[in-house]
Amino acid sequence: VAELRQRFFNSISPGGLAGDRRGVVPASGFSFSAQQIWKVIKENKDLDLPAHKVMVATVRCEEIANEKLQLLSSNADWLALEEAVQSGPISGFGRRLSSILETYFSEYDAEAIYFDEGVRNAKRKQLESKALDLVHPAYVNLLGHLRHKALEDFKSRLEQLLNKGEGFAASARTCAKSCMLEFDQGCEDAAIRQANWDASKVREKLRRDIDAHTSSVQSAKLSELVASYEKQLTQALSEPVEALFDAAGRDTWASIRKLLARETETAVSKFSTAISSFELDQPTVEKMLQDLRDYARNVVEKKAREEAGKVLIRMKDRFSTVFSHDNDSMPRVWTGKEDIKTITKEARTASLRLLSVVAAIRLDEKPDKIESILFSSLMEGNAAVASSQDRSIVTSDPLASSTWEEVPPKNTLITPVQCKSLWRQFKVETEYTVTQAISAQEAYKKSNNWLPPPWAIVLMVVLGFNEFMLLLRNPFYLMILFVAFLLSKALWVQLDVAGQFQHGTLAGLIAISSRFLPTVMNLLKRLAEEAQGHQTPEAPRQQTSVAFQGFRNQTPNPTNSIPESSVASNITSSDEGIEYSSPNLTQRKSAKSQEAEVSY
């Protein structure tokens, strides 16, 4: 307080209340300063106070406008309309809202009619602006519903027309036109008289949405069509191409090219007809058709690469088929008459031809020398190498390369070096089959060649000429020899000599030596019983069984041996004569036994 007092006392001193003020008017100039201040106030119109009626009109019209705006915001019809528009479009929205607004605007005009016109109109415009700002969100919401409904109607109608098989472009135009017309009608119905709101932006957005959906559906439909025709091409080409590779011959690639051209042109023709309803521009159509042709070619190339990956298995299968089956596709039986060398060469030739077919892709009908190079290097290579070594001439190997002549690298499936390696592996893996065939042929020859060599037969005839003449001069010796032959034949059949030796020489000798004595004793015992007339009751049945077994053993069976229990020879004696039964000779001296065998 003391400090403040001092500042008042020394107000014009530096640091005082007025000490730091600039432009201080001295007391002697106060009169003139006051006159100048009043002059400025009189000349500044902004400082004029309004007239009394203007002031009253301004205050009163503003109160009326605020009152009507408050009544509008709480109006039950407006609130119901605002709530209803939240869930979807409403018919007659513009008419109903215009009526509500007009009611409150008319009430304002009626209550403010006696106030200043300028103030009244200004406040009415403010009321209209605020009222329109209040209802504009509902109008925008309604336009959104109209746009959404029009877009959904477009989607459903387009789908229905497409399901009926109508053309895509025509259906899209028809649906877009009808939906846009309905949207425009909805906008007209939603418009209010008091405002000139523009719905063009919403309409443009709807148009963009329709175009985007049209493009999306078009892309999806085109993708489905492309996928469908690609699937048809895959089914039409994969299995036939695989079958052609399996039967690989000289005209394999010609058949593949013909098949590819036929199926591709069929698919392209149908696909071109199918996409005509989309009304695409010509460059787009040409591109899609070319893509379909490229896909068909890729299917064949892919299948060719798959076959090249398993060419060794295919070659072995081809070799086995040609080597193990004759021209009538019947399995070969190695009887000794077959030329295994020639058959092996034919089988290898077929396998090498398959390799030459799969070595490169030939869809462009350009000639190449792959087959001739492979045959000259692999089938005829051994003889050429031997002759060149004899002449000491060194020639270059045509297979010592990673590319084929006149074949682009992208069309090469198996390089020359790989072909040489595959052929070497193929020969190693098929050598066992050839060896088995040779062994089977030699075994068959040994098992079916019981005669001595020709020189031994000639030697026997020369050295045994005297004994042969002795037999002719003395028939008794011939009878003894005949009986000995019968006994030997019976032992041969009962011991199953041929069957025993098929298991090996040592095993056959052991088996025959172990059964020889019991078999001889059995024959002698039966002969003794027949000679003494003490034949057991089972003898007739055994005799009949023996005769039947002898007849069965006459049936040729090169693969199965005769069972040990079978009896192919039987010698019996009776009061009327001797009966002998064997696979090759049957003598009947007894009419009674003959009738018994026939009746059996």
Side-chain angles (χ1 to χ4, degrees), residues 434-449:
V434 179
T435 304
Q436 288 293 101
I438 295 174
S439 301
Q441 193 178 64
E442 292 178 354
Y444 186 88
K445 289 180 179 179
K446 291 180 180 179
S447 63
N448 290 275
N449 188 13

Side-chain angles (χ1 to χ4, degrees), residues 35 90 119 184 300 371 386 434:
Q35 291 177 2
I90 300 174
V119 175
D184 292 339
V300 176
E371 183 174 352
V434 179

Side-chain angles (χ1 to χ4, degrees), residues 545-594:
S545 176
V546 169
F548 175 70
Q549 291 291 346
F551 173 75
R552 189 179 66 177
N553 291 334
Q554 292 178 4
T555 305
N557 188 4
T559 59
N560 298 329
S561 61
I562 302 173
E564 295 180 3
S565 61
S566 64
V567 180
S569 177
N570 185 27
I571 300 177
T572 59
S573 64
S574 63
D575 296 339
E576 298 178 359
I578 299 174
E579 176 181 314
Y580 173 75
S581 176
S582 68
N584 300 322
L585 180 62
T586 302
Q587 294 181 351
R588 294 181 177 86
K589 299 297 183 178
S590 173
K592 183 176 180 180
S593 61
Q594 181 179 5

